[in-house]
Structure formats: C-alpha cells, structure tokens
Amino acid sequence: MEYTKGQWLLCRNRDGFDIESDSVGSLVANRIEISADAHLIAAAPDMYEALKAAQKLLQKQYEILLGHYPQYGTTSELELANKALAKAEGK
C-alpha cells in the first residue's frame, strides 16, 4: 500500500490542525477542526504498521492453534485486524 511516507506531524493553525509529512514536506490533511481527530490521523501510519505486524503474529498463532485444535474457526481478533487493514487499504 502506498501512502505518504515519513512521520506525519500535527501543526496547529487558525482553522484547526494540518497534518504534514516530514519526508517530503507535503500536506497530508488540512483544516481538521477536532483535536482528537487530528491526533488520530497523524498517528495513522504508525498504527497501520503496528497492526500489520500484529496481524502477522495473530495469523501465525492461529495456524498453530488450528493445527492442534481443528475445531476452532478464525479468531475474532484476527478478523478485526483483517477488516481494519482491508478498510485502510481501500478493499
């Protein structure tokens, strides 16, 4: 998935908040009025990478569990991670 790389920095302005990338100096989002929304957007790349890593770990754990206990279906945590990643990737 391609998105603006680098740290996303939160910048306050008179209209609320802007999000800028430090790697290319480009504007990622602007005029975000609600502080909590701005912080969540600024953290999105870090959360995406963390969730991808957690999803891989959950998948490995699930495969081990399924090998020992075939009666179990997919775990709800793995499903949540898969759905969130699919949403982030526009799938």
Side-chain angles (χ1 to χ4, degrees):
M1 179 172 135
E2 288 297 317
Y3 57 86
T4 304
K5 299 300 181 192
Q7 286 287 68
W8 287 11
L9 309 171
L10 193 59
C11 304
R12 183 180 264 295
N13 62 40
R14 64 185 176 144
D15 296 322
F17 298 90
D18 290 343
I19 310 291
E20 297 177 359
S21 170
D22 71 346
S23 67
V24 292
S26 66
L27 188 64
V28 174
N30 66 341
R31 295 185 180 176
I32 304 163
E33 296 177 5
I34 300 170
S35 175
D37 291 347
H39 283 86
L40 187 61
I41 294 167
D46 296 328
M47 292 190 301
Y48 177 77
E49 295 301 328
L51 186 55
K52 277 180 33 181
Q55 185 239 18
K56 286 180 185 177
L57 178 63
L58 284 169
Q59 183 65 42
K60 288 179 185 175
Q61 296 280 332
Y62 169 69
E63 289 168 4
I64 292 168
L65 176 70
L66 193 59
H68 294 291
Y69 304 100
Q71 69 271 24
Y72 290 111
T74 186
T75 65
S76 59
E77 294 84 3
L78 181 57
E79 287 176 358
L80 286 172
N82 289 338
K83 287 179 184 178
L85 288 170
K87 184 175 182 179
E89 294 168 352
K91 295 178 181 173

